[in-house]
């Protein structure tokens, strides 16, 4: 599933390419009704966690969640025909995006939009994220910190790759419980800084000096100390940790 850094990258790129009066929506697959958006200028594209929200003038917010299999295909020539299975095509004067296999592509009422936002915790990539609330939510959960980070109601946008790398950078064992405020604050600052790098480069970046490398995620040995990386199931996903740099307890 694309994590928050890529969703924010999509939002920024599509806002720059499509915002204005000339965007056209269609559904080659026929599973989305674009009629409410016909002739409506696209005012903004924003990301909140792993969710994309398209704001059209005098029309419901369009909500997209890619899920595990969803993706966007970009065409620099909007005259290129879309794939038959395209759920939604967003076409501007010079670019088009085909949305393939999302788990959500739907209009939202105002109440539904408020409910969606209320279900999400602070997003490290949003300017309106409240660090104090982020620390409160993380320290209030009784779950292991590695499970809490995957809970979108705690922090929005964090997925398995970021969980592994951020906890490594913070020196926290994913199984640790009752993480105190200083550790939660440090983890939040790491998320803010590194997800921004990831958004700009289009990939998980946990080491700016070696952006293509990971410390522990999907590695057999820790890149820092060489110890065998521990793996186990936590929060329904494979957790990764270095026993030396992330000591238990």
């Amino acid at each position: 599933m694309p994590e928050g850094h890529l969703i924010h990258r999509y939002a920024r790129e599509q806002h720059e390419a499509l915002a204005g009066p000339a965007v056209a929506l269609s559904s080659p697959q026929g599973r989305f009704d674009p009629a409410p958006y016909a002739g409506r200028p696209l005012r903004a594209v924003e990301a909140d966690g792993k969710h994309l929200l398209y704001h059209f003038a005098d029309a419901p917010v369009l909500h997209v969640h890619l899920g595990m299999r969803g993706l966007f295909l970009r065409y620099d020539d909007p005259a290129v025909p879309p794939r038959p299975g395209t759920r939604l095509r967003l076409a501007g004067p010079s670019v088009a995006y085909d949305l393939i296999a999302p788990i959500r592509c739907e209009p939202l009422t105002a109440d539904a939009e408020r409910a969606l936002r209320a279900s999400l915790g602070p997003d490290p990539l949003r300017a309106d994220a409240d660090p104090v609330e982020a620390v409160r939510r993380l320290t209030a959960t009784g779950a292991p910190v590695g499970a809490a980070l995957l809970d979108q109601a705690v922090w929005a946008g964090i997925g398995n790759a970021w969980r592994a790398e951020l906890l490594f950078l913070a020196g926290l064992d994913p199984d640790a419980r009752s993480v105190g405020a200083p550790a939660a604050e440090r983890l939040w600052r790491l998320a803010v800084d590194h997800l921004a790098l990831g958004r700009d480069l289009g990939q998980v970046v946990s080491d700016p000096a070696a952006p293509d490398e990971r410390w522990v995620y999907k590695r057999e040995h820790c890149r820092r100390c060489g110890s065998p990386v521990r793996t186990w199931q936590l929060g329904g996903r494979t957790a990764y940790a270095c026993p030396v740099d992330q000591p238990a307890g």
Side-chain angles (χ1 to χ4, degrees):
M1 180 183 296
E3 300 188 31
H5 67 294
L6 287 181
I7 302 304
H8 277 267
R9 185 178 178 89
Y10 288 144
R12 181 171 66 182
E13 177 185 304
Q14 293 181 16
H15 177 84
E16 293 173 352
L18 297 174
V23 63
L25 279 66
S26 61
S27 181
Q29 186 187 61
R31 293 181 58 191
F32 176 79
D33 180 9
Y37 305 96
R40 308 290 187 180
L42 177 60
R43 289 177 170 171
V45 185
E46 68 164 322
D48 199 344
K50 298 179 182 180
H51 302 263
L52 282 163
L53 299 168
Y54 299 79
H55 299 273
F56 291 83
D58 302 316
V61 169
L62 172 58
H63 170 225
V64 169
H65 191 301
L66 294 178
M68 295 296 292
R69 297 175 55 238
L71 57 89
F72 282 103
L73 300 177
R74 174 177 169 139
Y75 301 93
D76 290 329
D77 179 2
V80 173
R83 290 190 180 185
T86 298
R87 180 77 57 85
L88 173 67
R89 165 164 279 209
L90 298 151
S94 60
V95 66
Y97 294 88
D98 285 355
L99 175 61
I100 311 292
I103 61 170
R104 292 286 186 271
C105 178
E106 60 193 357
L108 293 182
T109 65
D111 286 345
E113 181 188 354
R114 283 190 289 270
L116 172 64
R117 293 185 188 276
S119 72
L120 300 174
D123 177 341
L125 285 176
R126 286 183 64 93
D128 59 359
D130 182 353
V132 174
E133 178 64 9
V135 170
R136 186 196 70 78
R137 293 196 184 207
L138 189 62
T139 55
T141 178
V145 64
L149 285 184
L150 295 186
D151 184 347
Q152 299 302 294
V154 178
W155 292 1
I158 304 295
N160 203 35
W162 280 117
R163 172 178 77 168
E165 296 297 281
L166 291 172
L167 289 175
F168 174 86
L169 291 170
L172 292 172
D173 177 9
D175 279 333
R177 295 177 183 263
S178 303
V179 173
E185 291 170 1
R186 181 170 72 254
L187 190 59
W188 176 256
R189 289 195 299 270
L190 287 166
V192 170
D193 292 343
H194 286 80
L195 264 73
L197 291 172
R199 175 201 59 207
D200 294 344
L201 293 180
Q203 63 186 43
V204 173
V205 179
S206 51
D207 181 2
D212 294 328
E213 297 288 345
R214 309 290 175 265
W215 295 108
V216 292
Y217 180 64
K218 292 189 175 181
R219 292 184 63 94
E220 293 186 1
H221 296 86
C222 172
R223 192 165 67 87
R224 178 182 289 169
C225 72
S227 298
V229 171
R230 292 193 302 126
T231 61
W232 70 104
Q233 291 298 301
L234 178 60
R237 304 294 301 277
T238 301
Y240 302 84
C242 172
V244 173
D245 294 296
Q246 298 167 269

